[in-house]
Amino acid sequence: MLRVAVVGSGPSGVYTAQALLEQSRVPDVRVHVLDRLPTPYGLVRYGVAPDHEKIKSLQSSLRAVLEDDRITFVGHVGVGDEGGLSPARLKELYHAVVYCVGAAEDRPLAVPGEGLPGSCSATEFVSWYSAHPDAAAGAFALRARSAVVVGVGNVAVDVARILARGAAELRGTDVPRAALDALGASRVREVHIVGRRGPSQARFTTKELRELGALPGARIAVDGAELALDPAYAVAAGRPGAPLPAVVRRNLDVLRGWATDPPSTTAGQERRIRLRFFLRPVELLERDGRVAGVRFARTAPDGAGGVRDTGVYEDVEAQLVLRAVGYRGTPLPGLPFDPVRGTVPHLAGRVVRDGAASPGEYVAGWIKRGPTGVIGSNRSCAKETVASLIEDAPLLVGREVSADPLGALRAQGLRPVEWDGWLSIERAESALGRSLGRGPVKIPDWSGLLDAARGESR
């Protein structure tokens, strides 16, 4: 029997477990899917926007994999954390370990004032409205009138959309009670989504972009002069030039439609979303000890695919600034780490230590390739890693490991939450939702989740 630990129960981890079961060269495989949280699904549960129900439904297919008899979910077990498991200890318990730990660290803006109250990462905001147990309770009172989201990818669009939605529209989702109340009382009336380059280089999808335009009670404003700075804009408008990728053309068509009649004011309770381009943040401005705005440097295309500063500056009022400019992997104690790429060095998924592949240690997902691709990209990534692992299996199974890894974890003082515990959490969240006249509502704190996992009421 080949015993494998997969660290991380998000898509990359579950797809790795699935690929291990689907391969035929090693017929007898048992997989433990470990997670620091007592809940499975990773970013599908805690990163996908609550109003993206179709993407969140991916949990059903992940669930089908985790319910296979050959797989055991082992939640509430940290790896590399204080009181958790070290990579060395995992190698004593399993023939092979696959690390699918993602890229949890936000890239900073690295500008003066970034540490002021009111300046946060988009991930912190997402974790708050997604009920991640690490999120600070009451972190976002949303007393700001104006918010700036720095970044033009799907995460930036997600957080802007949630800021602009009314609480009534989110009541049918699993947003936790405190976050729903705060969003209902929000004073935010203007949201700026700002990128340092042009619209043709933005990373949002056309679907995400169009969702902004479909928000009830919100208006979209785009500066036509900023669009015109982008060389691709003229091509999209019908002038001669190199063919554009289909997604770029579609995005520019949507933006051009919004630029034809941009609203000049925000009327009554209406919220306005402004998409801005060719602006690079250089400083967060302060008033009374908090963020009061962002100073941007105007940029322009440099003719080589990048941008240059023009020497012109613009201040944008904002009492809330959310950065959404990308992610980086974080070092896992006991594993090698490339600080430049933010990944674990590997060869086709095999962890590399001191220039050579380390027997029995593997990576998949963002910690392997960096924060690129969509959820589906993790399938091919996982298959490559599993192919390497299975190729190594004849040597791996000859090593003596624990016959009862879960027993060894308990003997170490850990209290794993298994699948039955997760099902208890699901039941508790359904009961919480019923008490509020809603569908299932997420439990937002560690103690509540662990109590629910053990069938204890609060």
Side-chain angles (χ1 to χ4, degrees):
M1 179 185 295
L2 177 66
R3 295 185 180 275
V4 181
V6 173
V7 181
S9 67
S12 63
V14 176
Y15 292 152
T16 296
Q18 183 177 34
L20 283 163
L21 299 188
E22 290 178 345
Q23 58 76 36
S24 58
R25 290 178 58 185
V26 180
D28 195 5
V29 180
R30 294 295 182 271
V31 183
H32 284 185
V33 178
L34 280 59
D35 204 293
R36 184 177 69 88
L37 299 172
T39 57
Y41 311 137
L43 284 179
V44 177
R45 175 175 167 90
Y46 289 118
V48 174
D51 56 348
H52 275 177
E53 296 180 3
K54 184 175 181 180
I55 302 175
K56 290 181 74 68
S57 68
L58 177 62
Q59 291 185 21
S60 297
S61 61
L62 300 180
R63 181 192 196 99
V65 176
L66 292 173
E67 288 183 329
D68 190 286
D69 291 340
R70 294 165 291 176
I71 293 178
T72 301
F73 173 69
V74 186
H76 193 219
V77 173
V79 175
D81 299 327
E82 184 178 351
L85 293 172
S86 68
R89 178 59 173 150
L90 283 175
K91 288 189 69 174
E92 295 174 353
L93 299 176
Y94 300 93
H95 293 115
V97 185
V98 187
Y99 295 92
C100 307
V101 293
E105 184 176 288
D106 291 271
R107 291 184 181 275
L109 298 176
V111 300
E114 188 170 12
L116 287 168
S119 167
C120 307
S121 73
T123 296
E124 291 175 278
F125 186 62
V126 171
S127 294
W128 171 73
Y129 68 63
S130 297
H132 194 293
D134 288 342
F140 294 92
L142 301 181
R143 299 186 182 93
R145 299 180 305 279
S146 176
V148 166
V149 183
V150 182
V152 282
N154 283 344
V155 173
V157 174
D158 278 348
V159 299
R161 191 179 66 253
I162 296 299
L163 281 169
R165 273 202 185 282
E169 301 166 55
L170 294 170
R171 184 174 173 80
T173 73
D174 58 7
V175 168
R177 177 170 46 182
L180 188 67
D181 290 346
L183 288 165
S186 170
R187 299 177 185 175
V188 175
R189 288 296 172 264
E190 189 161 51
V191 182
H192 305 258
I193 306 174
V194 187
R196 66 182 179 88
R197 298 194 293 179
S200 66
Q201 295 168 310
R203 297 298 183 91
F204 43 64
T205 62
T206 309
K207 177 179 179 295
E208 290 263 2
L209 198 57
R210 286 174 174 157
E211 284 178 336
L212 288 180
L215 289 174
R219 295 286 302 274
I220 312 297
V222 180
D223 189 327
E226 291 178 353
L227 292 184
L229 285 173
D230 194 321
Y233 181 70
V235 177
R239 298 178 188 173
L244 299 176
V247 66
V248 171
R249 182 175 289 278
R250 289 195 299 267
N251 286 349
L252 290 173
D253 285 345
V254 173
L255 293 169
R256 185 169 65 248
W258 289 337
T260 54
D261 184 24
S264 57
T265 59
T266 302
Q269 294 302 305
E270 184 180 72
R271 290 172 175 162
R272 180 167 67 167
I273 301 173
R274 299 194 65 191
L275 285 99
R276 305 292 310 276
F277 301 98
F278 295 109
L279 292 172
R280 180 177 66 84
V282 295
E283 182 182 1
L284 270 57
L285 307 176
E286 178 267 340
R287 183 183 302 124
D288 299 328
R290 293 185 57 85
V291 164
V294 185
R295 177 159 296 160
F296 291 97
R298 167 67 66 188
T299 64
D302 63 4
V307 293
R308 58 176 177 80
D309 285 354
T310 64
V312 176
Y313 295 88
E314 178 180 339
D315 292 351
V316 175
E317 177 193 352
Q319 298 79 39
L320 174 64
V321 178
L322 300 173
R323 65 179 183 274
V325 292
Y327 302 93
R328 284 179 55 83
T330 54
L332 191 68
L335 278 185
F337 187 73
D338 180 345
V340 176
R341 294 175 53 85
T343 58
V344 171
H346 71 93
L347 292 172
R350 296 179 177 93
V351 171
V352 172
R353 292 181 182 271
D354 300 321
S358 176
E361 294 185 308
Y362 305 86
V363 285
W366 278 5
I367 199 63
K368 170 187 174 184
R369 67 182 192 274
T372 61
V374 295
I375 290 176
S377 306
N378 291 298
R379 285 190 180 275
S380 57
C381 176
K383 287 180 178 179
E384 180 191 53
T385 294
V386 168
S388 295
L389 190 160
I390 295 303
E391 185 177 322
D392 300 341
L395 294 175
L396 300 176
V397 294
R399 187 168 56 83
E400 185 176 343
V401 296
S402 173
D404 181 16
L406 279 177
L409 296 182
R410 294 189 181 97
Q412 191 173 321
L414 301 177
R415 298 184 65 188
V417 172
E418 297 182 58
W419 194 251
D420 284 348
W422 159 239
L423 296 181
S424 293
I425 292 173
E426 281 193 318
R427 289 192 292 271
E429 292 183 338
S430 293
L432 175 60
R434 285 194 299 273
S435 73
L436 299 171
R438 299 169 58 191
V441 172
K442 287 179 184 172
I443 296 171
D445 58 281
W446 277 100
S447 59
L449 288 169
L450 294 176
D451 285 349
R454 293 163 187 142
E456 302 171 4
S457 59
R458 300 184 67 185

